[in-house]
């Protein structure tokens, strides 16, 4: 089968297409033929070595596909079922041996592309909105990178909960996408100052969801109202340098949290509950997921280049046949 391998950390060119054996599903695992593969920002951190990993490895952790065969101890799953997964290493490949508990059944009506990118970003937006802060209806929240994969879903979930949404992005076409999703105010970066955010929120936002990191952290902190919460959940522009806790005092007794998805889907039950809510929204149309770009599996390097150059909107997909 074709897969993508990383043998050394570095730029997008270390993503090299290779031919390897199809994996055999062990006990509790299922062999899935991939039909679409999700590309996520965390894949770039692992490629660069910002997050540790043993070399060589097949990157990617998310996708959708059709069950080919099942290992021992997977009673509810049968060949031919359409499934999606996340948090499963080795997903940039035409076949993946996935733990049965990582698989969710894909409802009719969802395309392979949507199924392949709904979990990692959808579950992230879901736990961020439900479990990381204390905002309530009518409060104003700030979301960085609103046109991105997580950002688009977060805007919609925030609007649905009655929050007023201020969001930031880099281009007018991305700004329009954010408005279409219901954002109340969209700020392009030169205009995205704490003063402007405070003006729009009458004294500061209750929560900031910041997935950009280094470039936006200071503005995010200075945009909060007293006792607000800064939810720093990513580092698209680079990691934030160490922070003196005294800055949280000076900003108005604010809270800073740095959550990660794994801790909010720590049990299979929680994973399935969050996945069911995200899929329900996608099926009934209350949530929309834009698959912004598709690359062939052999051009995973191109996908990473595009994602890191801020040229993508919504999710990015690899087509395993390409
Ligand atoms: P996005 O689709 O949001 O892409 C990143 C966006 O960040 C870009 O499109 C760009 O939007 C913005 N950006 C701002 N500054 C930069 C910069 N210097 N370089 C590159 N991009 C920049 O990615 P994802 O939706 O996949 O992920 C968003 C964030 O969420 C990432 O930081 C990721 O690591 C994090 N994440 C965290 C999880 C967690 O549990 N903690 C789980 C999943 C994702 P614009 O052009 O509008 O500025």
């Amino acid at each position: 089968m074709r897969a993508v391998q990383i043998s050394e950390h570095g730029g997008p060119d270390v993503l090299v297409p290779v031919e390897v054996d199809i994996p055999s599903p062990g006990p509790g695992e299922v062999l899935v033929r991939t039909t679409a593969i999700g590309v996520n920002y965390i894949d770039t951190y692992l490629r660069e070595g910002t997050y540790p990993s043993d070399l060589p490895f097949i990157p990617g952790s998310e996708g959708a596909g059709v069950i080919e065969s099942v290992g021992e101890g997977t009673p509810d799953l049968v060949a031919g079922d359409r499934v999606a997964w996340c948090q499963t290493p080795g997903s940039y490949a035409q076949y993946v041996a996935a733990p049965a508990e990582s698989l969710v059944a894909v409802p009719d009506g969802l395309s392979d592309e949507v199924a392949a990118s709904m979990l990692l970003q959808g579950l992230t937006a879901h736990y961020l909105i439900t479990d990381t802060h204390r905002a309530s209806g009518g409060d104003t929240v700030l979301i960085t990178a609103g046109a991105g994969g997580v950002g688009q879903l977060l805007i919609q979930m925030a609007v649905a909960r009655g929050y007023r949404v201020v969001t930031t992005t880099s281009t007018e076409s991305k700004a329009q996408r954010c408005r279409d999703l219901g954002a109340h105010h969209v700020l392009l970066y030169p205009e995205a100052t704490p003063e402007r955010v405070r003006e729009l929120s009458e004294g500061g936002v209750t929560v900031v969801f910041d997935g950009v990191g280094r470039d936006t952290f200071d503005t995010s902190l200075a945009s909060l109202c007293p006792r607000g919460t800064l939810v720093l959940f990513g580092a698209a522009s680079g990691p934030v340098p160490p922070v003196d806790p005294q800055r949280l005092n000076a900003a108005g007794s604010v809270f800073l949290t740095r959550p990660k998805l794994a801790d909010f889907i720590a049990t299979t039950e929680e994973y399935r509950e969050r996945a069911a809510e995200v899929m329900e929204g996608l099926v009934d149309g209350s949530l929309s997921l834009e698959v912004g770009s598709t690359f062939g599996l052999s051009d995973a390097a191109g996908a990473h280049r595009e994602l890191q150059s801020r040229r993508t909107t919504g999710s990015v997909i690899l087509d395993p046949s390409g």
Side-chain angles (χ1 to χ4, degrees):
M1 69 164 185
R2 189 177 322 125
V4 169
Q5 199 169 56
I6 294 182
S7 303
E8 56 178 327
H9 295 303
D13 290 341
V14 303
L15 294 161
V16 178
V18 290
E19 288 294 323
V20 295
D21 291 340
I22 294 175
S24 313
E29 288 186 340
V30 168
L31 181 67
V32 184
R33 178 176 54 79
T34 56
T35 50
I37 300 158
V39 175
N40 290 283
Y41 228 91
I42 191 172
D43 305 343
T44 70
Y45 308 147
L46 286 158
R47 189 203 74 220
E48 290 168 346
T50 311
Y51 287 177
S53 56
D54 292 333
L55 297 167
F57 69 100
I58 297 175
S61 64
E62 177 177 42
V66 177
I67 294 180
E68 283 277 308
S69 61
V70 296
E72 283 170 40
T74 57
D76 300 335
L77 298 163
V78 292
D81 283 355
R82 285 179 78 217
V83 289
W85 61 92
C86 70
Q87 308 281 80
T88 299
S91 292
Y92 284 12
Q94 289 179 315
Y95 291 86
V96 175
E101 66 267 20
S102 74
L103 300 175
V104 298
V106 176
D108 291 343
L110 292 191
S111 69
D112 292 331
E113 290 74 17
V114 167
S117 52
M118 67 184 175
L119 289 178
L120 210 150
Q121 296 173 354
L123 300 179
T124 297
H126 190 272
Y127 87 74
L128 289 173
I129 208 78
T130 56
D131 285 304
T132 60
H133 61 89
R134 294 184 302 179
S136 50
D139 287 349
T140 304
V141 304
L142 172 63
I143 297 171
T144 62
V150 176
Q152 290 200 17
L153 297 167
L154 207 40
I155 288 175
Q156 296 173 77
M157 290 180 189
V159 169
R161 280 163 177 76
Y163 304 144
R164 293 195 62 75
V165 173
V166 180
T167 189
T168 58
T169 189
S170 61
T171 68
E172 178 46 41
S173 63
K174 287 187 175 189
Q176 190 54 50
R177 178 70 192 151
C178 296
R179 286 184 207 105
D180 293 344
L181 293 170
H184 300 89
H185 299 284
V186 185
L187 303 177
L188 296 182
Y189 277 109
E191 198 204 345
T193 60
E195 294 71 30
R196 184 73 183 120
V197 175
R198 300 184 79 82
E199 198 176 284
L200 293 171
S201 54
E202 292 168 10
V205 296
T206 311
V207 51
V208 181
F209 299 103
D210 187 345
V212 171
R214 189 173 54 204
D215 289 359
T216 48
F217 182 82
D218 290 344
T219 295
S220 296
L221 192 57
S223 297
L224 286 168
C225 69
R227 295 160 60 175
T229 304
L230 171 45
V231 184
L232 175 68
F233 69 95
S237 65
V240 174
V243 180
D244 178 354
Q246 190 59 25
R247 289 184 66 192
L248 308 182
N249 168 350
S253 306
V254 301
F255 298 85
L256 170 64
T257 182
R258 183 31 177 115
K260 68 174 187 297
L261 175 60
D263 292 324
F264 292 83
I265 51 170
T267 64
T268 306
E269 191 185 16
E270 190 174 22
Y271 172 57
R272 294 195 181 288
E273 273 173 20
R274 292 193 194 277
E277 276 191 45
V278 170
M279 289 191 288
E280 193 181 310
L282 291 169
V283 169
D284 71 20
S286 56
L287 198 58
S288 83
L289 187 157
E290 179 195 13
V291 178
S293 17
T294 304
F295 292 78
L297 175 60
S298 308
D299 189 23
H304 278 217
R305 250 181 238 111
E306 204 75 355
L307 183 62
Q308 291 188 283
S309 332
R310 306 170 72 166
R311 285 196 290 266
T312 61
T313 55
S315 68
V316 180
I317 291 294
L318 299 178
D319 173 357
S321 69

